[in-house]
Amino acid sequence: MDEQPEPAQTPGGGLDRRAELSEFLRTRRARLKPEEVGLADFGRRRVPGLRREELAQLAGVSVAYYTRLEQGNGRNVSAEVLDSIARALRLSDAEHAHLTHLAKPKQHKKKAVARSPQVRPALRHLLDSIDGVPAYIVGRRSDILAWNRMASALFGDWAQMPAQERNWARMVFLRPEYRELYLEWEQKAADMVGYLRMDAGRHPEDPRLSALVGELSVKSEEFRRLWAAHDVEEKSYGVKRMRHPLVGDLTLSFETFRLIDDAEQSLITYHAEPGTPSADALRLLASWGADAARAGTESPAP
């Protein structure tokens, strides 16, 4: 089994931003082939992907400048240079945003890191009023903050879990029932790691996120492998195929609504296409869940 590197940390308990920037650029460069970017492939390459001088040429910067950046020194780098490097590396929008977070971090108040997340009462009432649609609110680190009865019926009774375990990454990688729930578990796992990576770029100083990454790296070889890939992803929309122990197979579309007053919280909903077996299964689940599940009302402990 290949050994994956342990996540680099700062003395304060957060992730090492410079190491994150260095590894992210290195892995993005390694996935590009010269012929993909219109360069001739001369000579044998010791490592996969483009050489630093080739990437610097494509981005229109000096080799020395790019080398300093890839070594984690993003001090005083301009947005225009980052845009050029992002284009040369063919980064996605999420990857471009992640690069910017790592190279030009915003200053966050320390109190904001330790602050316990709060869900507005009106949002809790909204969740309770959504009938027949599994819905929940997720915060930083993919912590589950609040949910409705249908979410309990679909995903399990989160109210019975300790607050610190109501976290999507922990559930996906450490709880066997979630591996059985998702028919494409590998894709769900990759998505979760991509979301955590985006959080790490925004908040590398967050000791709770660093502790979560460290715990999962110790307990899950699959998590270590995916984390080492440095892939990033934003929560958006898509389709998930599930196998529920009571109602069988479900194909559900999910949507993500980022809250305008708190960008770290998002409302996630799942729905089935009308007239499909999945829609019938959701109705059965709603009927069962009316008696067997209840909505969660707690937030994770600080």
Side-chain angles (χ1 to χ4, degrees):
M1 181 178 66
D2 293 337
E3 292 292 330
Q4 301 295 345
E6 292 292 327
Q9 296 186 357
T10 63
L15 295 171
D16 187 336
R17 183 188 59 79
R18 291 187 60 164
E20 291 290 309
L21 174 60
S22 177
E23 285 299 300
F24 179 69
L25 285 171
R26 185 187 61 79
T27 55
R28 299 312 91 175
R29 180 168 56 84
R31 71 182 181 181
L32 287 176
K33 297 179 181 179
E35 57 269 26
E36 293 176 335
V37 295
L39 295 177
D41 187 6
F42 295 117
R44 184 175 180 180
R45 293 173 183 264
R46 292 179 299 169
V47 294
L50 297 181
R51 299 183 177 97
R52 283 177 175 172
E53 55 267 28
E54 291 170 331
L55 196 283
Q57 175 187 342
L58 289 172
V61 298
S62 72
V63 177
Y65 188 98
Y66 177 76
T67 298
R68 288 196 301 272
L69 187 62
E70 194 173 290
Q71 289 173 343
N73 185 4
R75 187 185 311 168
N76 299 325
V77 64
S78 69
E80 291 75 17
V81 167
L82 289 179
D83 289 347
S84 297
I85 291 173
R87 285 193 297 270
L89 288 171
R90 300 192 173 183
L91 300 186
S92 67
D93 289 345
E95 289 171 329
H96 192 170
H98 185 62
L99 173 61
T100 302
H101 294 149
L102 293 175
K104 298 178 72 67
K106 294 181 179 180
Q107 297 299 317
H108 299 281
K109 295 180 181 179
K110 291 185 177 180
K111 289 184 178 180
V113 175
R115 179 174 58 87
S116 186
Q118 301 295 322
V119 176
R120 289 189 285 110
L123 288 173
R124 294 185 182 276
H125 297 153
L126 173 63
L127 286 175
D128 291 340
S129 69
I130 299 176
D131 230 6
V133 174
Y136 59 87
I137 292 175
V138 67
R140 193 194 297 184
R141 302 172 293 271
S142 293
D143 286 337
I144 299 164
L145 306 180
W147 59 95
N148 67 359
R149 178 176 54 81
M150 276 298 294
S152 289
L154 179 62
F155 298 112
D157 193 355
W158 290 329
Q160 299 303 312
M161 290 184 186
Q164 66 272 17
E165 293 185 17
R166 295 177 202 145
N167 173 277
W168 267 115
R170 275 200 181 92
M171 294 188 303
V172 166
F173 285 98
L174 303 182
R175 286 183 171 257
E177 61 267 33
Y178 287 88
R179 188 182 292 265
E180 296 172 2
L181 176 65
Y182 287 94
L183 293 178
E184 290 102 0
W185 180 88
E186 292 82 3
Q187 184 58 55
K188 177 66 176 179
D191 291 344
M192 290 312 310
V193 173
Y195 302 154
L196 284 184
R197 272 282 178 205
M198 287 298 292
D199 268 355
R202 293 187 182 100
H203 305 285
E205 77 291 345
D206 185 350
R208 287 177 57 188
L209 188 149
S210 181
L212 174 63
V213 170
E215 176 189 356
L216 294 174
S217 296
V218 168
K219 294 180 178 179
S220 171
E221 188 278 331
E222 290 153 316
F223 179 87
R224 284 197 304 276
R225 174 178 55 81
L226 290 168
W227 186 256
H230 285 263
D231 292 333
V232 295
E233 188 174 345
E234 286 277 21
K235 299 181 184 72
S236 55
Y237 61 91
V239 175
K240 294 296 181 185
R241 295 175 60 241
M242 305 179 192
R243 180 161 292 158
H244 194 276
L246 291 178
V247 299
D249 289 1
L250 294 152
T251 299
L252 301 178
S253 297
F254 69 92
E255 299 284 345
T256 301
F257 304 92
R258 196 173 296 276
L259 303 187
I260 195 168
D261 62 332
D262 187 344
E264 292 183 3
Q265 293 187 15
S266 298
L267 171 66
I268 316 291
T269 64
Y270 284 77
H271 67 278
E273 185 178 345
T276 62
S278 293
D280 295 336
L282 265 189
R283 281 192 291 271
L284 285 175
L285 199 56
S287 176
W288 169 80
D291 298 323
R294 62 187 177 88
T297 58
E298 301 177 18
S299 295

